[in-house]
Amino acid sequence: GQNIDQPTEMTATEGAIVQINCTYQTSGFNGLFWYQQHAGEAPTFLSYNVLDGLEEKGRFSSFLSRSKGYSYLLLKELQMKDSASYLCAAADSNYQLIWGAGTKLIIKP
Amino acid sequence: ETGVTQTPRHLVMGMTNKKSLKCEQHLGHNAMYWYKQSAKKPLELMFVYNFKEQTENNSVPSRFSPECPNSSHLFLHLHTLQPEDSALYLCASSQDVGGYNEQFFGPGTRLTVL
């Protein structure tokens, strides 16, 4: 079956760095997305990786290893506004997105 | 503001009621989606429309009936729902259908079925 695994909840300190991991099993693979969702709001796009390696975008970076079925989202210089859920989703051979349940990130002062 | 709007934002209905959820996108996209989001569960894709034609129906019960009159508007008609249908219903759009396309989400409708 197709499956996405990510931690349910993580806690980090303001100003620190946190890494949110995601492992996936899909029938074929056409890329991996990360979305951010603040409580009560719409998910918003953060990143898309289809090739192995690290993509950096400001304070946020996303990494992909296709051979390991693994991705992570790295958040640097954490701010209180980064408290949100982070959703991992992989596109399968039919380009359908398979979603994880999300990781709730709690930032403490 | 993502360019995708949904109304109503909150809805409480009884099991015998009929109601409709509305979604509108102002992005000129060709594809629109309905998702169900329940607490601590992955997003569940319900329906996909591409150029007004339904391309996906992920075994959704018939008490949920989608309608897509044009590429900018999407409705979800609800009738004789069950309490387990209580969830956040999200609408999304993308330039085209295909997992490589970034999806833009609306704020959702929080549905409670009594």
Side-chain angles (χ1 to χ4, degrees):
Chain A
Q2 306 199 97
N3 190 54
I4 300 279
D5 282 316
Q6 53 181 130
T8 303
E9 187 173 299
M10 298 181 71
T11 302
T13 305
E14 190 176 15
I17 299 173
V18 71
Q19 178 175 310
I20 302 174
N21 296 324
C22 170
T23 57
Y24 62 88
Q25 291 177 301
T26 55
S27 301
F29 179 74
N30 280 297
L32 189 125
F33 290 84
W34 285 96
Y35 282 80
Q36 180 191 59
Q37 185 177 23
H38 285 102
E41 296 184 14
T44 55
F45 171 82
L46 288 176
S47 66
Y48 173 67
N49 294 62
V50 67
L51 300 176
D52 285 353
L54 185 68
E55 300 237 353
E56 298 186 65
K57 197 184 290 186
R59 294 188 299 114
F60 291 10
S61 302
S62 55
F63 171 84
L64 177 67
S65 169
R66 295 175 65 129
S67 62
K68 295 181 179 178
Y70 167 69
S71 173
Y72 67 73
L73 181 69
L74 190 70
L75 291 74
K76 300 178 184 176
E77 301 169 20
L78 285 170
Q79 301 174 10
M80 297 304 291
K81 67 178 182 179
D82 297 329
S83 293
S85 287
Y86 291 85
L87 311 180
C88 173
D92 67 11
S93 58
N94 295 319
Y95 294 97
Q96 181 163 326
L97 288 185
I98 312 302
W99 293 85
T103 298
K104 182 178 180 181
L105 178 63
I106 299 167
I107 309 296
K108 296 187 173 180
Chain B
E1 180 60 48
T2 62
V4 181
T5 59
Q6 290 186 244
T7 54
R9 294 293 308 275
H10 300 273
L11 178 62
V12 179
M13 58 187 290
M15 289 190 283
T16 58
N17 292 157
K18 288 185 180 181
K19 297 287 184 182
S20 295
L21 310 185
K22 179 182 176 182
C23 175
E24 183 174 0
Q25 57 98 357
H26 311 274
L27 302 168
H29 288 166
N30 300 317
M32 296 187 77
Y33 311 76
W34 278 118
Y35 285 94
K36 177 183 179 183
Q37 187 175 37
S38 302
K40 300 185 178 180
K41 289 186 177 180
L43 283 175
E44 296 175 46
L45 179 64
M46 301 174 72
F47 302 103
V48 181
Y49 278 82
N50 190 34
F51 289 101
K52 304 188 301 178
E53 299 297 322
Q54 188 179 123
T55 58
E56 290 283 342
N57 175 342
N58 280 0
S59 304
V60 180
S62 59
R63 58 186 183 269
F64 294 92
S65 174
E67 179 190 359
C68 189
N70 55 61
S71 292
S72 298
H73 293 85
L74 187 63
F75 295 89
L76 188 63
H77 304 299
L78 316 171
H79 64 99
T80 59
L81 294 190
Q82 305 298 311
E84 60 264 29
D85 297 322
S86 297
L88 182 68
Y89 288 84
L90 291 165
C91 173
S93 72
S94 62
Q95 185 60 53
D96 293 298
V97 171
Y100 52 85
N101 284 277
E102 173 189 348
Q103 293 185 18
F104 293 77
F105 285 83
T109 296
R110 173 69 61 184
L111 174 67
T112 302
V113 181
L114 301 176

